[in-house]
Structure formats: structure tokens, C-alpha cells
Amino acid sequence: PSHENPARDIPSPRRTSSPYDILGVPRDASDEEVKRAYREKVKTLHPDTLQGKELPKEVIDTISDQMARINEAWTEIKRERSI
């Protein structure tokens, strides 16, 4: 089976530290745009979505790391914007 990596579109920690970059939205995005971007990333990388795809352990580990970064970015933005 093809082992496509759904985490490939998340910027590497070495390339960015901005929570907006991690979510793929500009800093001046509306709260709704930020929420939508967060939900789309989570939906793509959620364990329930990936179940049954027979992904290698390395890919699963990468996805887990990316999910942690996405959640941290979302938390930081929520705090900053009081969402």
C-alpha cells in the first residue's frame, strides 16, 4: 500500500516557530479563518482518520509530533486573541 504522509504539509520546527505558520494562516487572518485552519489540520491528522491506513511507525510518530505542534499553536493563538 502507498504510505502517504499526511503530516508533510506541516512546516518543520526548524523552518518556523510562528503558530500562524504552523496552522498555515497569515497573522491578520480572522478568528474564524484560524479556527477553520486548525480544524482542517486536526481532521487530516486525527488518529481516527488515519486508522486502517497501515502507516509505518515513523510516519505515525511524525504525525503525533505534528499534532502536538498544531495543538500548541492553537493554544497560543487562543490565548493571544482571547478566543
Side-chain angles (χ1 to χ4, degrees):
S2 172
H3 295 296
E4 185 176 322
N5 183 351
R8 72 189 175 287
D9 295 328
I10 308 298
S12 145
R14 291 182 201 102
R15 285 192 281 163
T16 182
S17 61
S18 165
Y20 295 94
D21 289 342
I22 292 168
L23 294 183
V25 294
R27 186 169 285 282
D28 62 352
S30 70
D31 290 351
E32 262 320 299
E33 290 170 316
V34 174
K35 287 178 190 178
R36 188 175 321 115
Y38 169 74
R39 288 184 195 124
E40 287 174 11
K41 298 272 187 208
V42 169
K43 188 167 101 175
T44 302
L45 299 174
H46 195 278
D48 290 346
T49 304
L50 301 173
Q51 255 181 350
K53 290 195 177 185
E54 299 178 23
L55 299 171
K57 182 182 179 332
E58 299 81 34
V59 172
I60 292 169
D61 290 346
T62 300
I63 292 168
S64 295
D65 291 344
Q66 299 302 340
M67 277 296 299
R69 292 185 60 232
I70 290 166
N71 285 323
E72 289 170 14
W74 173 238
T75 298
E76 187 174 331
I77 292 170
K78 284 192 317 183
R79 228 177 293 144
E80 174 186 304
R81 292 183 174 215
S82 299
I83 297 177

